[in-house]
Amino acid sequence: MKNIILVGLVTMAILSTAVYSRRYEMNVEHMTPEEILELGDTTLASNEPLEAIKIYEQGISITYDKEVPLVTSLSLYTNLGTAYSSTGDERKAIEMYRQAILLFSNRIEDIVDESTKKAATDITAQAGFFLGMTHEELENYRKAADSYAFAASLDPYHWAALANLGAVLQDHLREPADALLVYNQAYDILTQSEVEPTDPPSEPKLVLSQLQYRIGLAITYSEKQKCVLKDDPTKEVPCSEMAANAFNNAIELDPSNENAKHMLAAVTADATIRRASNDYVTQLFEDYAENFEHSLVEELGYTGYAALRKAFDQALGDVDKVPMF
């Protein structure tokens, strides 16, 4: 189950959830969609997902009768999906995330205001990311990969979508070449300084170390593959050298990365290491490769999509470009 990460019109709550709940019960017909969204977010953040589901559904029901800003509607669907996921109902979570993507596809092209378009695109990218995480939990790996790729296509600085995409491609779909590509893209996003990455990790060196470790694994995936320099594709180099460089980078970024140390010794045939270290064996049995998303969210400082958003004017769009996941 994912951590609770809310998107859209998230604001600071002043009153207690109990006060909000009484307000909901008595005056919901007088609340704006933005107020209902805020109430749902406060309730979900207070670890009351079942109550939050009722509130979000009430907010969605009035969007059919009123003109509601697109960003508000997208946030209602996306956060409702997160609420369902918090209860373990991943099927309903998928339905809500897909509804957010459908709504975005139907209405985005007619929006002229660039700030509105960016806000809506950012929230939909996060819906796609959550959709990928949910599909991955259900072992729908191809759909998970498609969802992560969709999120990254909307948000070119969503490093976590690319990192998770690489893990699915490598661990489950056995596509190391494609995994290598997106690992490098995620690494480049976190090491460039021109634009802040989406939700940058609190401990970037740990994430970068794991990305370099996985780059090394992807390089060594098959003995039959050939490696060339990025700057000179005509020059072939031993894959073991490139993998060793990646593993060495991983160790420099995080000296405690026992997986990288073991693999560096393996590819360089280091005779000083005669057996896998105890730390490496321990980490191996913790099955890191099968839980890369978990590590991103809960261990490596991926703190979530908590940017404040304002509501904007709604717009109608066509229905011809709806991605299916």
Side-chain angles (χ1 to χ4, degrees), residues 9-323:
L9 305 173
V10 181
T11 59
M12 294 299 293
I14 300 176
L15 302 179
S16 70
T17 303
V19 174
Y20 271 123
S21 296
R22 289 196 294 272
R23 179 186 178 193
Y24 166 69
E25 293 171 357
M26 295 184 296
N27 301 312
V28 65
E29 67 274 12
H30 302 300
M31 295 174 67
T32 67
E34 291 76 19
E35 290 173 329
I36 295 175
L37 173 63
E38 179 182 347
L39 172 60
D41 292 349
T42 303
T43 305
L44 183 56
S46 299
N47 200 28
E48 298 183 55
L50 293 176
E51 186 68 19
I53 287 171
K54 297 177 183 178
I55 296 170
Y56 289 134
E57 288 180 338
Q58 180 67 29
I60 289 172
S61 69
I62 68 174
T63 65
Y64 298 116
D65 303 321
K66 299 180 180 180
E67 291 189 355
V68 177
L70 176 59
V71 170
T72 303
S73 296
L74 290 172
S75 299
L76 284 167
Y77 277 113
T78 301
N79 291 356
L80 176 57
T82 300
Y84 272 120
S85 182
S86 297
T87 68
D89 193 341
E90 304 296 2
R91 304 290 179 183
K92 288 292 291 185
I94 287 173
E95 180 183 342
M96 293 305 108
Y97 295 141
R98 290 190 63 209
Q99 284 294 327
I101 294 170
L102 173 65
L103 180 65
F104 173 83
S105 300
N106 286 346
R107 293 174 55 179
I108 193 63
E109 287 194 1
D110 284 349
I111 292 182
V112 176
D113 183 79
E114 289 300 321
S115 59
T116 304
K117 184 175 293 187
K118 185 178 187 310
T121 302
D122 288 348
I123 292 173
T124 307
Q126 199 66 6
F129 178 61
F130 291 160
L131 181 59
M133 293 169 69
T134 308
H135 275 308
E136 190 172 355
E137 288 186 8
L138 295 177
E139 300 183 358
N140 301 329
Y141 296 123
R142 179 54 66 185
K143 289 183 177 180
D146 290 343
S147 299
Y148 288 138
F150 173 72
S153 73
L154 292 181
D155 182 356
Y157 293 97
H158 203 310
W159 66 271
L162 291 166
N164 281 15
L165 173 58
V168 171
L169 290 171
Q170 182 173 355
D171 298 341
H172 303 294
L173 301 180
R174 304 297 184 259
E175 299 175 13
D178 291 336
L180 181 61
L181 176 64
V182 294
Y183 287 147
N184 276 298
Q185 290 175 344
Y187 188 88
D188 289 344
I189 289 170
L190 290 175
T191 53
Q192 57 83 37
S193 58
E194 296 179 359
V195 179
E196 183 178 25
T198 299
D199 300 328
S202 59
E203 297 287 345
K205 285 189 175 182
L206 298 181
V207 176
L208 292 171
S209 176
Q210 292 297 342
L211 285 170
Q212 282 293 319
Y213 167 66
R214 282 186 155 266
I215 286 170
L217 290 181
I219 292 173
T220 60
Y221 185 87
S222 172
E223 294 181 357
K224 297 180 180 180
Q225 66 186 3
K226 297 181 179 180
C227 297
V228 297
L229 293 176
K230 182 178 180 180
D231 296 335
D232 186 4
T234 64
K235 185 177 181 180
E236 186 174 338
V237 297
C239 291
S240 59
E241 290 185 10
M242 297 186 72
N245 182 66
F247 293 135
N248 189 61
N249 288 339
I251 296 167
E252 288 183 357
L253 288 161
D254 176 15
S256 67
N257 191 332
E258 296 296 328
N259 293 336
K261 291 178 184 178
H262 178 81
M263 290 305 301
L264 178 61
V267 298
T268 58
D270 188 344
T272 65
I273 299 182
R274 300 182 181 278
R275 59 179 295 275
S277 70
N278 290 334
D279 287 341
Y280 172 76
V281 173
T282 299
Q283 290 188 21
L284 185 65
F285 279 96
E286 287 175 352
D287 202 12
Y288 180 85
E290 293 293 327
N291 294 281
F292 191 62
E293 168 264 311
H294 168 84
S295 295
L296 284 174
V297 174
E298 297 182 11
E299 296 171 13
L300 300 184
Y302 177 64
T303 56
Y305 194 83
L308 301 179
R309 295 292 183 192
K310 293 182 179 180
F312 299 97
D313 296 333
Q314 72 169 9
L316 298 177
D318 60 50
V319 297
D320 296 327
K321 297 182 178 180
V322 181

